Amino acid sequence: MTTVETLIEGLTLAAEMGWETWWALVLGFTIAGAVETFVSEERMSAALGGSGWRELGLGTLFGAASSSCSFGAVATTKSLFKKGASPVASLAAFQFASTNLVIELGLVMWILLGWQFVVADYVAGLLLIGLLALTFRFVVPDGWFEAAREHLRATDGVRDPACGMEVDPTDDDVVSLETDGGTEYFCSESCKSAYEESQQQTDATWRDRLLTRDGWRLASKNALGEWNMLWTDIVAGFLIAGLIGAAVPRSWWTTLFGVGAEGTLTWVVASAVIGVVVGVVTFVCSVGNVPFALILWSNGIAFGGVMSFIFADLIVPTITDAYRRYYGLRMAAVLFLSVFVGAVISGIAIHYLWSGLGLVPPAGEAGGTAPGGYTTYLNAALTLLFLGQVYVGYVSDAGEDSATETHAH
């Protein structure tokens, strides 16, 4: 196969995966935008101060509802931790759940890999959260976390109040807004617009927002904010998966995963470890990882190795460096090692649990259970919804701004 043919095949594979998952991404971000509108960060911080089962559960629920890219999740977790949320509720539960237990990840995984992987993701994810919580509660000294919090408060930079991303006020692409409390900086116009909308509804309860046009208008803008954070990672994920799927020969994967030793403990453990290492090296984002997980599964990695690979999204080099900047080198090492070991253990555990229950699909077999013919109809319907969100977030705002300027003149 020539280079051009390989490139065309890779792009075709990427496009096919993108087509199959488009409706799921729109639906997932729409739900995430709605939840973000009706649940405030301040309320979450107040509820996550303890280290008991209640706070662990709430942190997990808030995280799963507060869908975000890994970088946004880390930034939001930083804010919760700084405001007093416990390490168990924030660094263990919220941070992991907001990247690996979110609805859009589950939908994309269901379509590309199958429902068995979706349920396994949630079960193994809860196990990993439990392992992290136990580690933070009984292994890591409390003084280390207090030192990390002090380091954060002393070095915290400027943060987009809408999406949680860290921004550089001197960057030409950063948008600013003068408020009564000073100047706020945003990574994009959509985040600025969403923030302005949220400030206008500060006194409204979530029930009031749920029943008003402005509430759903803000939800649409928050959904666009999710796209703004994630679209490049998602596109890159599909492209990388497509190109690697077309270019890398089966023999290479066979050597890497030790295909031929299937079913042995060594194969399962090696798959889990390799899955984490590959996840660290090739990371795009939690959702963008799913297409590449399909490539790994199709080429011989153990079922549990797929889970370990997906769970590695929070210890890639750029995020580990963010941990260092936020919490200091010692806590960055703690987070890296805790997630690495937890991802390996969770992957191995879910592999044997699913094998015992007869839920592991035949090797390499993948694909969701939704009728294939529905993809076109779902894509068409959700595309209309997406265009409506774009209209609300950009076109209608532009029209209102123009009308306001005309009236002023």
Side-chain angles (χ1 to χ4, degrees), residues 8-57:
I8 292 174
E9 182 181 345
L11 294 176
T12 301
L13 288 173
E16 289 174 351
M17 287 186 286
W19 168 257
E20 291 294 326
T21 58
W22 167 249
W23 67 268
L25 290 169
V26 175
L27 177 60
F29 289 143
T30 298
I31 295 173
V35 171
E36 184 180 345
T37 303
F38 307 129
V39 181
S40 71
E41 186 177 294
E42 286 70 22
R43 291 177 182 175
M44 286 193 288
S45 297
L48 301 180
S51 298
W53 287 106
R54 178 179 180 275
E55 290 79 11
L56 183 67

Side-chain angles (χ1 to χ4, degrees), residues 352-407:
Y352 283 108
L353 176 59
W354 251 228
S355 294
L357 295 173
L359 295 177
V360 177
E365 182 178 299
T369 56
Y374 280 50
T375 300
T376 300
Y377 300 109
L378 289 169
N379 279 348
L382 272 297
T383 296
L384 291 176
L385 175 61
F386 176 73
L387 292 175
Q389 292 169 343
V390 172
Y391 175 81
V392 169
Y394 294 111
V395 180
S396 63
D397 271 1
E400 288 181 5
D401 292 342
S402 177
T404 300
E405 292 177 4
T406 301
H407 180 72

Side-chain angles (χ1 to χ4, degrees), residues 204-218:
T205 66
W206 71 268
R207 292 182 179 86
D208 293 332
R209 295 183 181 186
L210 189 64
L211 298 174
T212 63
R213 176 178 176 272
D214 285 342
W216 287 103
R217 176 188 176 92
L218 177 57

Side-chain angles (χ1 to χ4, degrees), residues 64-227:
S66 303
S67 166
S68 185
C69 68
S70 299
F71 299 99
V74 169
T76 302
T77 300
K78 176 192 71 170
S79 178
L80 294 173
F81 182 66
K82 179 181 178 181
K83 293 177 181 178
S86 71
V88 165
S90 58
L91 295 171
F94 180 90
Q95 182 166 271
F96 181 82
S98 59
T99 57
N100 290 291
L101 300 183
V102 295
I103 187 170
E104 61 268 26
L105 176 68
L107 288 170
V108 173
M109 193 180 295
W110 173 51
I111 293 168
L112 294 182
L113 289 167
W115 67 268
Q116 299 94 329
F117 288 86
V118 179
V119 181
D121 175 69
Y122 286 100
V123 174
L126 292 175
L127 172 60
L128 194 149
I129 289 173
L131 291 172
L132 292 177
L134 290 173
T135 301
F136 294 168
R137 184 82 182 273
F138 299 109
V139 178
V140 182
D142 291 339
W144 289 19
F145 287 112
E146 288 309 311
R149 204 187 307 265
E150 289 304 316
H151 184 279
L152 173 60
R153 289 171 175 164
T155 61
D156 197 17
V158 179
R159 181 169 169 260
D160 184 325
C163 69
M165 298 286 284
E166 190 168 351
V167 294
D168 180 0
T170 63
D171 194 319
D172 292 337
D173 294 329
V174 169
V175 183
S176 63
L177 174 68
E178 296 297 330
T179 69
D180 293 337
T183 304
E184 297 284 3
Y185 297 93
F186 304 86
C187 63
S188 65
E189 283 287 352
S190 61
C191 280
K192 174 184 174 182
S193 180
Y195 175 80
E196 290 177 311
E197 291 270 354
S198 66
Q199 292 304 106
Q200 292 171 8
Q201 300 188 48
T202 300
D203 297 329
T205 66
W206 71 268
R207 292 182 179 86
D208 293 332
R209 295 183 181 186
L210 189 64
L211 298 174
T212 63
R213 176 178 176 272
D214 285 342
W216 287 103
R217 176 188 176 92
L218 177 57
S220 294
K221 291 185 176 182
N222 285 334
L224 291 178
E226 295 291 326
W227 278 109

